[in-house]
Amino acid sequence: MLNFLYDIPTKVYFGEGEIKHLGEALKEYGKRVLLVYGGGSIKRTGIYDRVTACLKEAGLFWAECGGVEPNPRIETVRRGIALCKKEQIDVVLAVGGGSSIDCAKVIAAGANSAYDAWELVKDKTKIESVLPVIAVLTLAATGSEMDAGAVISNPETMEKLGVANPGMAPKYAFMDPTYTYSVSPFQTAAGTADIMSHTIESYFQKETGNDLTDTFAEGILKTCVKYGPIAVAEPKNYTARANLMWAGSWAINNLLKYGKGNGWSCHPMEHELSAYYDMTHGLGLAILTPHWMRYILSEETLDRFVSFGVEVFGIDRTLPKMEIAHRGIDALAAFFRSLGLVSTLKEAGVGEEHLEAMAEHAAKLMKNPYVALSKEDILKIYRAAL
Ligand code: NZQ
Ligand code: ZN
């Protein structure tokens, strides 16, 4: 186990009706709010009305930056930054899924900056001060409500890049599972895959001796395997929505990383799919992860796969190790299919045309992954997933 600093700063109001604390939370940080949201789901569901009622009741001024795209674009971030400057905003309030929260974080980083927003995304050392961010989560997936990262797309350069700064971690997150009742079966499935991928990225690491953290990870994965299908079939099942929501936050809020040192593998590969094809992030991960697993399975990585198969999918531990590993990977692929997600890149609209460029870029983005992957390795994984 490596040394670490435990630092998870976000305060969480969890559960039905906890939005009632929103006004007081915002007032800790100022009186002028920028409300950031997506393409309109919060208006259809009534969440917009509930949030703005809290703002009114607390006597707060607010301006709005709506229309954040899934895979949020740098242009929208720039629009939000301009509003912050014009309206002298004190605090940025994101209401939505990961895209709205990520967009809000980079708006907050750019509000007091002389740099263009894309400069900040490309080089996090240019981020100096960040306005406080508060998140109201409406989709269990990315964990952005409780982490310091954001991922932004630039369609002009065909890039989708992550950026992180401790100041971007939300000061408060409001998590009401009933706000996710309206999430479609497809987005519920993709969100479940994303939560599992974050967990898997932190579970497949070289460092050993992290039994406690590994057990947390297995618990998160089992929670997704249990409740993902229930949430897809019964969108208003509170227990399923609540468990997925909390799992999503803990999968990426750093807990699973403490004591470990490797970077991620499937995320850099997936971000290329989102950049070139505007693919839903969790779908790309569901397609790629089993192929990545098959590619890196070897005598060196075998024990990790055995734990994964036995602990997460209940594979018989008396079987030969290699068989357990294969069965575990097959079970994961079958699980994603059972949620209604397609399992090949072709079915998701991806062809051969950009694979070389995507593999080259992903190889550059991958930092010290569990198993080193060259451009050629990544290309093989993309081709296997086609
Ligand atoms: O835009 P609206 O109208 O709100 O609709 C959204 C969108 O169409 C809809 N939705 C959200 N909440 C809903 C709802 N529909 C009905 N009822 C609700 N309650 O769902 C669609 C997808 O929303 P989006 O925010 O894009 O999804 P998600 O939360 O999966 O976020 C994906 C983005 O986060 C990034 C991804 O790359 C992607 O850009 N990630 C951010 C991370 C982070 N900050 O740490 C880590 C992740 O690995 C990921 O990369
Ligand atoms: Zn993710």
Side-chain angles (χ1 to χ4, degrees):
M1 193 191 290
L2 301 177
N3 296 0
F4 59 84
L5 168 70
Y6 172 95
D7 182 12
I8 302 179
T10 303
K11 289 182 190 159
V12 175
Y13 277 110
F14 192 97
E16 186 167 8
E18 289 301 302
I19 198 75
K20 62 181 182 241
H21 298 288
L22 179 63
E24 72 202 50
L26 285 163
K27 280 203 279 190
E28 275 182 41
Y29 296 99
K31 290 191 168 140
R32 299 179 71 81
V33 177
L34 181 70
L35 173 57
V36 179
Y37 57 92
S41 72
I42 66 164
K43 293 205 169 154
R44 290 191 295 278
T45 53
I47 295 171
Y48 174 90
D49 292 337
R50 268 171 266 168
V51 165
T52 51
C54 293
L55 295 174
K56 278 180 207 154
E57 201 182 307
L60 296 164
F61 163 88
W62 82 90
E64 295 192 12
C65 179
V68 177
E69 311 79 6
N71 298 325
R73 297 181 179 195
I74 194 66
E75 272 314 314
T76 313
V77 175
R78 291 190 182 114
R79 178 158 58 86
I81 291 172
L83 273 167
C84 284
K85 291 183 173 168
K86 177 169 171 250
E87 301 291 356
Q88 298 180 318
I89 294 298
D90 301 316
V91 48
V92 183
L93 172 62
V95 184
S99 294
S100 295
I101 302 172
D102 284 5
C103 186
K105 287 175 175 177
V106 186
I107 291 172
N112 291 322
S113 177
Y115 289 107
D116 173 62
W118 192 241
E119 293 289 311
L120 301 178
V121 174
K122 281 198 301 187
D123 180 2
K124 64 180 180 185
T125 64
K126 290 184 174 156
I127 299 177
E128 281 164 0
S129 72
V130 186
L131 289 182
V133 176
I134 290 182
V136 176
L137 185 64
T138 67
L139 198 170
T142 64
S144 184
E145 67 280 1
M146 217 175 162
D147 75 18
V151 192
I152 303 294
S153 294
N154 186 340
E156 278 173 23
T157 61
M158 300 290 254
E159 283 173 295
K160 182 174 185 189
L161 299 179
V163 57
N165 179 285
M168 286 170 16
K171 304 293 181 208
Y172 282 92
F174 289 81
M175 298 189 212
D176 181 335
T178 68
Y179 284 18
T180 65
Y181 282 175
S182 53
V183 175
S184 67
F186 170 69
Q187 287 293 343
T188 302
T192 303
D194 193 21
I195 298 167
M196 292 180 78
S197 174
H198 298 156
T199 311
I200 287 167
E201 300 267 27
S202 295
Y203 187 70
F204 284 83
Q205 297 262 324
K206 282 187 192 135
E207 203 64 37
T208 55
N210 283 288
D211 294 42
L212 178 64
T213 312
D214 286 343
T215 310
F216 286 150
E218 288 155 2
I220 290 173
L221 292 169
K222 283 198 274 195
T223 300
C224 292
V225 170
K226 177 173 178 182
Y227 286 113
I230 296 175
V232 168
E234 302 167 32
K236 295 191 176 173
N237 184 311
Y238 185 87
T239 307
R241 292 296 194 184
N243 275 277
L244 288 177
M245 201 173 217
W246 200 215
S249 303
W250 283 93
I252 199 174
N253 70 4
N254 278 341
L255 177 84
L256 301 185
K257 276 189 358 202
Y258 292 138
K260 303 184 174 189
N262 291 117
W264 286 8
S265 308
C266 291
H267 272 68
M269 290 192 280
E270 192 297 311
H271 284 163
E272 296 302 307
L273 294 172
S274 298
Y276 278 85
Y277 297 94
D278 208 14
M279 189 183 291
T280 297
H281 173 65
L283 172 63
L285 292 167
I287 296 170
L288 290 176
T289 303
H291 291 285
W292 167 74
M293 286 180 155
R294 287 189 191 105
Y295 194 79
I296 63 152
L297 175 59
S298 68
E299 286 302 324
E300 284 81 67
T301 59
L302 184 56
D303 284 347
R304 187 80 307 206
F305 278 102
V306 170
S307 302
F308 175 76
V310 169
E311 301 300 339
V312 179
F313 286 105
I315 313 281
D316 179 357
R317 65 173 75 243
T318 63
L319 290 170
K321 282 185 171 184
M322 205 40 102
E323 190 175 341
I324 296 175
H326 281 291
R327 284 196 188 196
I329 299 170
D330 291 347
L332 181 68
F335 174 72
F336 289 145
R337 279 196 302 275
S338 78
L339 292 179
L341 298 171
V342 298
S343 55
T344 66
L345 291 177
K346 272 196 191 116
E347 289 168 285
V350 177
E352 282 269 356
E353 57 279 4
H354 301 300
L355 294 188
E356 288 261 352
M358 286 162 47
E360 189 166 348
H361 200 230
K364 283 188 195 138
L365 292 180
M366 231 176 254
K367 305 277 183 261
N368 185 29
Y370 175 52
V371 173
L373 296 174
S374 65
K375 175 195 162 186
E376 286 67 34
D377 294 320
I378 296 170
L379 199 51
K380 282 183 193 157
I381 294 171
Y382 281 145
R383 292 220 162 102
L386 262 181

